[in-house]
């Protein structure tokens, strides 16, 4: 099993290990490595179950736009031509009414878009970003992110304490930690590029405009530190915009 460097470093930190230590706790390292391997061996069913619980917790902790709100009506209209099964999961789209600029997707098809992002994006740009998030689910990136989050959270230890491979129902504290670890997980540059390509190809297949992918990334690149969030921290937004433009030009 191959770990992203950031995830492995974080797992070792949980075991109390740092690169600068003079004396290393070999037993602790082995323990941390074992738990990490266990987390990355979670089955698809277990990852979906964790995602179900985590998404429910996130929905409970955030203000979800009502079915009749302008944000939800716009989102459902925007995603209608994109909707498809993602790794056997039916996507579920909702809006969080917060001015944070963000969007994310879990392996169970839970896709959440923040009002702050919607305010800054045109419909075409929004489709580009949502297509990108759908790509993370379809390509298995969201599964890996949840596996990483599980390996770093108290949920893993709670499961071990019960003797079960997966806790049937985690408590609020465990779910909060799991959700935070998931949202803080960073995708690799390769994963980001693959999700960009997925969005481009989905938009092309559905005969939708692809130029929004370029302008969406340009807007994210322009956000300053006081306004940006997880969405704008994705690596190389400006370079990714240029790459999408190259794909559009090549398709002409």
């Amino acid at each position: 099993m191959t770990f992203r460097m950031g995830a492995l470093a974080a797992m070792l930190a949980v075991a109390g290990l740092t690169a600068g230590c003079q004396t290393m706790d070999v037993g602790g390292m082995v323990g941390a490595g074992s738990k990490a391997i266990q987390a990355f061996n979670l089955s698809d069913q277990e990852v979906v179950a964790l995602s179900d619980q985590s998404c429910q917790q996130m929905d409970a902790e955030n203000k979800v736009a009502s079915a009749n709100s302008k944000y939800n009506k716009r989102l459902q209209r925007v995603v209608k031509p994109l909707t498809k099964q993602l790794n056997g999961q039916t996507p579920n789209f909702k809006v969080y009414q917060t001015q944070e600029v963000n969007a994310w997707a879990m392996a169970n098809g839970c896709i959440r878009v923040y009002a702050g992002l919607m305010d800054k994006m045109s419909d075409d740009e929004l489709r580009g970003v949502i297509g990108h998030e759908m790509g993370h689910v379809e390509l298995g990136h969201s599964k890996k992110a949840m596996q990483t989050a599980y390996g770093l959270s108290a949920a893993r230890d709670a499961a071990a304490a019960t003797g079960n491979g997966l806790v049937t129902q985690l408590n609020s504290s465990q779910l909060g930690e799991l959700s935070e670890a998931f949202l803080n997980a960073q995708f690799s540059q390769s994963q980001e590029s693959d999700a960009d390509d997925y969005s481009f190809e989905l938009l092309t297949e559905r005969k939708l405009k692809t130029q929004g992918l370029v302008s969406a990334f340009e807007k994210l690149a322009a956000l300053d530190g006081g306004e940006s969030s997880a969405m704008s921290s994705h690596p190389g937004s400006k370079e990714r915009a240029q790459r999408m433009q190259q794909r559009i030009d090549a398709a002409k």
Side-chain angles (χ1 to χ4, degrees), residues 58-66 94-98 113 115:
M58 290 288 292
D59 285 355
E61 292 179 347
N62 289 275
K63 184 178 181 181
V64 179
S66 68
K94 292 183 180 179
V95 180
Y96 285 170
Q97 290 193 302
T98 170
V113 182

Side-chain angles (χ1 to χ4, degrees), residues 35-242:
K35 290 177 179 178
I37 291 171
Q38 291 171 7
F40 276 83
N41 282 335
L42 287 173
S43 68
D44 289 349
Q45 182 180 4
E46 289 173 325
V47 171
V48 168
L50 281 171
S51 299
D52 284 342
Q53 294 184 54
S54 181
C55 187
Q56 290 172 10
Q57 177 78 2
M58 290 288 292
D59 285 355
E61 292 179 347
N62 289 275
K63 184 178 181 181
V64 179
S66 68
N68 292 324
S69 74
K70 66 176 184 178
Y71 283 106
N72 182 65
K73 288 181 177 179
R74 181 188 173 203
L75 179 64
Q76 302 309 322
R77 173 174 53 78
V78 165
V79 302
K80 186 175 182 179
L82 297 177
T83 302
K84 58 176 290 188
Q85 290 281 297
L86 303 171
N87 276 341
Q89 302 298 315
T90 301
N92 173 264
F93 301 93
K94 292 183 180 179
V95 180
Y96 285 170
Q97 290 193 302
T98 170
Q99 287 309 298
E100 186 178 351
V101 179
N102 202 2
W104 48 262
M106 292 186 180
N108 63 339
C110 170
I111 299 176
R112 299 297 180 259
V113 182
Y114 292 23
L117 177 70
M118 295 184 69
D119 287 342
K120 293 185 179 298
M121 300 288 166
S122 68
D123 287 357
D124 289 338
E125 291 166 345
L126 199 54
R127 285 193 186 97
V129 171
I130 292 170
H132 171 95
E133 296 301 329
M134 292 172 65
H136 281 315
V137 180
E138 180 71 16
L139 300 173
H141 305 159
S142 297
K143 173 186 174 181
K144 292 178 182 177
M146 181 56 75
Q147 288 171 323
T148 300
Y150 180 75
L152 294 172
S153 73
R156 178 204 61 220
D157 293 329
T162 65
N164 296 322
L166 183 67
V167 174
T168 302
Q169 186 65 47
L170 303 175
N171 64 39
S172 295
S173 176
Q174 292 158 354
L175 281 171
E177 186 177 347
L178 176 66
S179 300
E180 182 178 1
F182 175 83
L183 293 181
N184 288 334
Q186 293 292 312
F187 295 117
S188 69
Q189 182 65 62
S190 175
Q191 288 174 323
E192 295 290 13
S193 294
D194 288 346
D196 292 347
D197 286 336
Y198 179 92
S199 183
F200 178 87
E201 289 159 10
L202 177 60
L203 293 170
T204 301
E205 173 194 321
R206 300 297 169 90
K207 301 186 185 307
L208 298 167
K209 295 178 180 178
T210 53
Q211 194 65 42
L213 264 172
V214 176
S215 53
F217 287 137
E218 288 174 341
K219 285 182 178 180
L220 291 174
L223 290 175
D224 61 41
E227 216 177 355
S228 62
S229 67
M231 269 304 302
S232 56
S233 68
H234 285 177
S237 292
K238 183 177 180 180
E239 290 75 12
R240 289 163 66 195
Q242 293 171 344

